[in-house]
Amino acid sequence: MTNDSTADDTFAQFFNFGAGVLSLVFLSCSVIWGLVAQDRIVLDARRRILAQAVHRSTAVASLVFLVIHIVVKLVLDHTTWVAAVIPFGLLATEDEEFGGRAVLIGLGTLASMLMIFVGVTGALRNRFASPAPVAARWRAMHMLAYPAWCAALLHGLYAGRAAKPVFMVLYGLSLLGVMAALALRAAPRPVKRRVADRIAGFLGTEGQAVREEPAEPRTRATAGAALPGREAPSPRRPSPSAPLYEPAERLAPPPQ
Protein backbone atom coordinates (compact mmCIF):
# COMPACT_ATOMS: atom_id res chain seq x y z
CA MET A 1 0.00 0.00 0.00
CA THR A 2 2.83 2.34 0.84
CA ASN A 3 4.59 1.56 -2.42
CA ASP A 4 1.40 2.28 -4.37
CA SER A 5 0.87 5.59 -2.63
CA THR A 6 4.51 6.54 -3.20
CA ALA A 7 4.21 5.70 -6.89
CA ASP A 8 1.01 7.74 -7.14
CA ASP A 9 2.69 10.70 -5.46
CA THR A 10 5.67 10.47 -7.80
CA PHE A 11 3.35 10.23 -10.80
CA ALA A 12 1.34 13.23 -9.61
CA GLN A 13 4.48 15.28 -8.95
CA PHE A 14 5.79 14.45 -12.39
CA PHE A 15 2.66 15.76 -14.07
CA ASN A 16 2.40 18.67 -11.65
CA PHE A 17 5.87 20.02 -12.36
CA GLY A 18 6.86 18.24 -15.58
CA ALA A 19 3.85 18.50 -17.89
CA GLY A 20 4.27 22.25 -18.34
CA VAL A 21 7.98 21.86 -19.04
CA LEU A 22 7.35 19.14 -21.62
CA SER A 23 4.70 21.31 -23.25
CA LEU A 24 7.22 24.13 -23.60
CA VAL A 25 9.94 21.79 -24.89
CA PHE A 26 7.65 20.33 -27.56
CA LEU A 27 6.44 23.82 -28.45
CA SER A 28 10.08 24.88 -28.91
CA CYS A 29 10.72 21.86 -31.14
CA SER A 30 7.62 22.70 -33.17
CA VAL A 31 8.79 26.29 -33.66
CA ILE A 32 12.29 25.14 -34.65
CA TRP A 33 11.10 22.55 -37.18
CA GLY A 34 8.50 24.96 -38.52
CA LEU A 35 11.23 27.50 -39.29
CA VAL A 36 13.50 24.89 -40.86
CA ALA A 37 10.71 23.37 -42.95
CA GLN A 38 10.06 26.71 -44.67
CA ASP A 39 13.60 27.03 -46.03
CA ARG A 40 14.08 25.69 -49.55
CA ILE A 41 17.87 26.12 -49.52
CA VAL A 42 18.85 24.19 -46.41
CA LEU A 43 16.53 21.21 -47.04
CA ASP A 44 15.42 19.54 -50.23
CA ALA A 45 11.77 18.73 -50.96
CA ARG A 46 11.80 15.29 -49.34
CA ARG A 47 13.40 16.54 -46.12
CA ARG A 48 11.06 19.54 -46.00
CA ILE A 49 8.11 17.15 -45.99
CA LEU A 50 9.75 15.21 -43.15
CA ALA A 51 10.42 18.44 -41.24
CA GLN A 52 6.78 19.48 -41.64
CA ALA A 53 5.68 16.11 -40.25
CA VAL A 54 7.94 16.58 -37.21
CA HIS A 55 6.62 20.14 -36.85
CA ARG A 56 3.02 18.93 -36.69
CA SER A 57 3.79 15.98 -34.41
CA THR A 58 5.62 18.10 -31.84
CA ALA A 59 2.82 20.69 -31.97
CA VAL A 60 0.26 18.01 -31.13
CA ALA A 61 2.45 16.71 -28.29
CA SER A 62 2.78 20.25 -26.95
CA LEU A 63 -1.00 20.67 -26.87
CA VAL A 64 -1.48 17.30 -25.17
CA PHE A 65 0.92 18.17 -22.35
CA LEU A 66 -0.62 21.63 -22.13
CA VAL A 67 -4.06 20.12 -21.46
CA ILE A 68 -2.53 17.76 -18.86
CA HIS A 69 -0.78 20.72 -17.21
CA ILE A 70 -4.02 22.74 -16.95
CA VAL A 71 -6.10 19.81 -15.69
CA VAL A 72 -3.55 18.88 -13.01
CA LYS A 73 -3.36 22.46 -11.75
CA LEU A 74 -7.16 22.62 -11.54
CA VAL A 75 -7.46 19.26 -9.75
CA LEU A 76 -4.82 20.24 -7.19
CA ASP A 77 -6.49 23.67 -6.66
CA HIS A 78 -3.36 25.50 -7.75
CA THR A 79 -5.44 27.78 -9.96
CA THR A 80 -9.06 28.57 -10.80
CA TRP A 81 -11.20 28.10 -13.88
CA VAL A 82 -11.23 31.85 -14.48
CA ALA A 83 -7.45 32.09 -14.36
CA ALA A 84 -7.10 29.00 -16.56
CA VAL A 85 -9.45 30.27 -19.28
CA ILE A 86 -9.21 34.08 -19.20
CA PRO A 87 -5.73 35.63 -19.55
CA PHE A 88 -4.95 37.78 -16.51
CA GLY A 89 -8.35 36.88 -15.07
CA LEU A 90 -6.73 36.35 -11.68
CA LEU A 91 -6.14 40.09 -11.43
CA ALA A 92 -9.86 40.81 -11.75
CA THR A 93 -11.13 38.06 -9.43
CA GLU A 94 -8.69 38.54 -6.56
CA ASP A 95 -8.10 42.29 -6.91
CA GLU A 96 -4.36 41.80 -6.97
CA GLU A 97 -1.96 44.47 -8.06
CA PHE A 98 -0.60 44.35 -11.57
CA GLY A 99 2.61 42.45 -11.23
CA GLY A 100 4.09 39.42 -9.57
CA ARG A 101 2.64 35.94 -9.67
CA ALA A 102 -0.75 36.97 -11.05
CA VAL A 103 0.85 38.42 -14.19
CA LEU A 104 3.04 35.36 -14.66
CA ILE A 105 0.01 33.08 -14.42
CA GLY A 106 -1.77 35.36 -16.88
CA LEU A 107 1.14 34.94 -19.29
CA GLY A 108 0.74 31.19 -19.05
CA THR A 109 -2.99 31.45 -19.77
CA LEU A 110 -2.31 33.77 -22.70
CA ALA A 111 0.28 31.33 -24.07
CA SER A 112 -2.15 28.42 -23.76
CA MET A 113 -4.94 30.29 -25.58
CA LEU A 114 -2.57 31.28 -28.38
CA MET A 115 -1.25 27.72 -28.66
CA ILE A 116 -4.76 26.29 -28.94
CA PHE A 117 -5.71 28.93 -31.52
CA VAL A 118 -2.60 28.24 -33.61
CA GLY A 119 -3.18 24.49 -33.35
CA VAL A 120 -6.80 24.73 -34.51
CA THR A 121 -6.00 27.07 -37.41
CA GLY A 122 -3.04 24.87 -38.34
CA ALA A 123 -5.33 21.85 -38.57
CA LEU A 124 -7.64 23.88 -40.84
CA ARG A 125 -4.86 25.06 -43.12
CA ASN A 126 -6.49 23.65 -46.25
CA ARG A 127 -9.46 25.96 -45.68
CA PHE A 128 -7.08 28.94 -45.89
CA ALA A 129 -5.11 27.72 -48.91
CA SER A 130 -6.74 30.10 -51.40
CA PRO A 131 -7.20 32.83 -52.41
CA ALA A 132 -3.87 34.55 -51.72
CA PRO A 133 -5.17 37.20 -49.26
CA VAL A 134 -6.78 34.46 -47.14
CA ALA A 135 -3.53 32.45 -47.16
CA ALA A 136 -1.65 35.56 -46.02
CA ARG A 137 -4.04 35.93 -43.09
CA TRP A 138 -3.43 32.30 -42.16
CA ARG A 139 0.33 32.89 -42.07
CA ALA A 140 -0.19 35.89 -39.80
CA MET A 141 -2.35 33.81 -37.47
CA HIS A 142 0.19 30.97 -37.49
CA MET A 143 2.96 33.37 -36.46
CA LEU A 144 1.17 33.85 -33.13
CA ALA A 145 3.14 30.78 -32.07
CA TYR A 146 6.15 33.08 -31.49
CA PRO A 147 4.53 35.30 -28.82
CA ALA A 148 2.97 32.15 -27.35
CA TRP A 149 6.42 30.63 -27.00
CA CYS A 150 7.82 33.79 -25.36
CA ALA A 151 4.93 34.00 -22.87
CA ALA A 152 5.22 30.28 -22.08
CA LEU A 153 8.95 30.62 -21.44
CA LEU A 154 8.47 33.49 -18.98
CA HIS A 155 5.62 31.63 -17.29
CA GLY A 156 7.66 28.46 -16.93
CA LEU A 157 10.71 30.21 -15.52
CA TYR A 158 9.09 32.44 -12.92
CA ALA A 159 5.45 31.48 -12.25
CA GLY A 160 6.01 28.51 -9.95
CA ARG A 161 8.71 27.37 -7.62
CA ALA A 162 12.37 27.64 -8.49
CA ALA A 163 13.04 25.33 -11.42
CA LYS A 164 15.30 22.34 -10.91
CA PRO A 165 18.62 22.22 -12.78
CA VAL A 166 17.33 19.69 -15.33
CA PHE A 167 14.40 21.97 -16.13
CA MET A 168 16.71 24.96 -16.45
CA VAL A 169 18.81 22.97 -18.91
CA LEU A 170 15.69 22.17 -20.96
CA TYR A 171 14.63 25.82 -20.91
CA GLY A 172 18.11 26.87 -22.03
CA LEU A 173 18.23 24.34 -24.85
CA SER A 174 14.79 25.45 -26.01
CA LEU A 175 15.92 29.08 -26.07
CA LEU A 176 19.15 28.31 -27.91
CA GLY A 177 17.37 26.10 -30.43
CA VAL A 178 14.77 28.72 -31.34
CA MET A 179 17.41 31.45 -31.59
CA ALA A 180 19.58 29.25 -33.84
CA ALA A 181 16.60 28.47 -36.10
CA LEU A 182 15.70 32.17 -36.36
CA ALA A 183 19.32 33.06 -37.15
CA LEU A 184 19.48 30.40 -39.87
CA ARG A 185 16.19 31.59 -41.32
CA ALA A 186 17.46 35.18 -41.53
CA ALA A 187 20.95 34.23 -42.77
CA PRO A 188 22.04 35.16 -46.34
CA ARG A 189 21.96 32.57 -49.09
CA PRO A 190 25.73 31.76 -49.07
CA VAL A 191 25.57 30.92 -45.36
CA LYS A 192 22.54 28.70 -45.94
CA ARG A 193 24.37 26.99 -48.80
CA ARG A 194 27.31 26.18 -46.54
CA VAL A 195 24.97 24.84 -43.87
CA ALA A 196 23.16 22.73 -46.48
CA ASP A 197 26.50 21.33 -47.71
CA ARG A 198 27.52 20.41 -44.17
CA ILE A 199 24.17 18.72 -43.56
CA ALA A 200 24.58 16.79 -46.81
CA GLY A 201 28.11 15.81 -45.83
CA PHE A 202 26.97 14.69 -42.40
CA LEU A 203 24.19 12.59 -43.93
CA GLY A 204 26.42 11.30 -46.72
CA THR A 205 24.29 12.75 -49.55
CA GLU A 206 26.72 15.10 -51.27
CA GLY A 207 25.75 13.88 -54.73
CA GLN A 208 22.05 14.34 -54.19
CA ALA A 209 22.23 18.09 -54.67
CA VAL A 210 23.80 17.57 -58.08
CA ARG A 211 21.04 15.18 -59.10
CA GLU A 212 18.40 17.66 -58.01
CA GLU A 213 19.74 20.49 -60.18
CA PRO A 214 17.41 21.34 -63.05
CA ALA A 215 18.38 19.59 -66.26
CA GLU A 216 19.61 21.57 -69.22
CA PRO A 217 17.12 21.99 -72.04
CA ARG A 218 17.42 19.29 -74.66
CA THR A 219 18.31 20.00 -78.21
CA ARG A 220 17.26 18.00 -81.22
CA ALA A 221 20.76 16.57 -81.46
CA THR A 222 20.76 15.28 -77.85
CA ALA A 223 17.12 14.32 -77.48
CA GLY A 224 17.71 10.75 -78.63
CA ALA A 225 20.61 10.22 -76.22
CA ALA A 226 18.32 10.55 -73.18
CA LEU A 227 16.62 7.25 -73.92
CA PRO A 228 18.28 4.19 -72.31
CA GLY A 229 20.09 1.86 -74.65
CA ARG A 230 20.33 4.38 -77.48
CA GLU A 231 23.48 6.18 -78.50
CA ALA A 232 23.47 9.84 -79.31
CA PRO A 233 22.97 10.40 -83.05
CA SER A 234 26.00 11.70 -84.85
CA PRO A 235 25.72 15.06 -86.59
CA ARG A 236 24.57 14.89 -90.16
CA ARG A 237 27.19 14.99 -92.87
CA PRO A 238 26.61 16.00 -96.47
CA SER A 239 25.98 13.13 -98.84
CA PRO A 240 28.83 12.33 -101.32
CA SER A 241 26.34 12.39 -104.17
CA ALA A 242 25.51 15.99 -103.48
CA PRO A 243 28.69 18.10 -103.86
CA LEU A 244 28.91 21.37 -102.06
CA TYR A 245 29.92 23.25 -105.23
CA GLU A 246 29.71 22.81 -108.97
CA PRO A 247 32.91 21.91 -110.87
CA ALA A 248 34.49 24.66 -112.92
CA GLU A 249 33.96 22.73 -116.21
CA ARG A 250 30.22 22.79 -115.73
CA LEU A 251 30.14 26.48 -114.92
CA ALA A 252 32.27 27.56 -117.97
CA PRO A 253 30.27 28.47 -121.14
CA PRO A 254 30.61 26.11 -124.16
CA PRO A 255 33.16 27.18 -126.84
CA GLN A 256 31.78 29.09 -129.85
Side-chain angles (χ1 to χ4, degrees):
M1 187 69 178
T2 305
N3 294 333
D4 294 339
S5 61
T6 304
D8 293 339
D9 293 340
T10 303
F11 192 71
Q13 288 181 0
F14 168 76
F15 279 113
N16 185 21
F17 300 107
V21 177
L22 292 177
S23 178
L24 177 62
V25 170
F26 280 111
L27 176 61
S28 303
C29 294
S30 179
V31 171
I32 293 170
W33 283 101
L35 288 168
V36 174
Q38 297 176 12
D39 203 304
R40 298 178 178 273
I41 299 177
V42 177
L43 299 179
D44 54 26
R46 182 175 62 85
R47 293 194 179 94
R48 284 201 308 273
I49 294 174
L50 180 61
Q52 291 172 1
V54 176
H55 167 67
R56 297 188 184 98
S57 301
T58 51
V60 172
S62 176
L63 291 175
V64 170
F65 282 106
L66 171 65
V67 172
I68 295 175
H69 175 65
I70 295 174
V71 170
V72 169
K73 294 300 181 182
L74 289 172
V75 170
L76 297 177
D77 293 330
H78 290 176
T79 188
T80 62
W81 281 103
V82 175
V85 176
I86 302 176
F88 307 103
L90 195 62
L91 296 173
T93 56
E94 299 185 3
D95 296 329
E96 295 189 11
E97 297 181 357
F98 187 82
R101 183 171 177 270
V103 174
L104 294 172
I105 293 177
L107 287 175
T109 307
L110 177 63
S112 64
M113 295 297 103
L114 291 176
M115 289 170 60
I116 293 173
F117 176 77
V118 172
V120 171
T121 55
L124 299 176
R125 181 178 182 179
N126 293 334
R127 301 293 182 90
F128 298 91
S130 61
V134 177
R137 294 190 190 100
W138 179 86
R139 294 188 187 94
M141 291 186 294
H142 206 64
M143 289 180 66
L144 291 174
Y146 301 126
W149 177 82
C150 294
L153 182 63
L154 292 174
H155 170 78
L157 285 173
Y158 302 109
R161 67 176 186 177
K164 293 184 177 181
V166 61
F167 293 157
M168 293 298 296
V169 170
L170 291 176
Y171 287 142
L173 291 176
S174 300
L175 179 61
L176 290 177
V178 173
M179 291 178 62
L182 286 172
L184 180 61
R185 180 66 176 166
R189 293 177 66 90
V191 176
K192 293 182 180 180
R193 289 290 184 187
R194 288 197 293 269
V195 173
D197 292 340
R198 292 196 176 186
I199 293 176
F202 177 77
L203 298 176
T205 57
E206 294 90 348
Q208 187 171 358
V210 178
R211 291 194 299 270
E212 291 181 353
E213 293 293 333
E216 297 182 358
R218 297 181 187 178
T219 60
R220 296 182 64 182
T222 60
L227 298 177
R230 179 182 296 181
E231 297 181 356
S234 58
R236 289 187 177 183
R237 297 180 180 179
S239 174
S241 60
L244 296 178
Y245 60 91
E246 292 291 337
E249 293 81 359
R250 296 186 181 181
L251 298 177
Q256 295 292 335

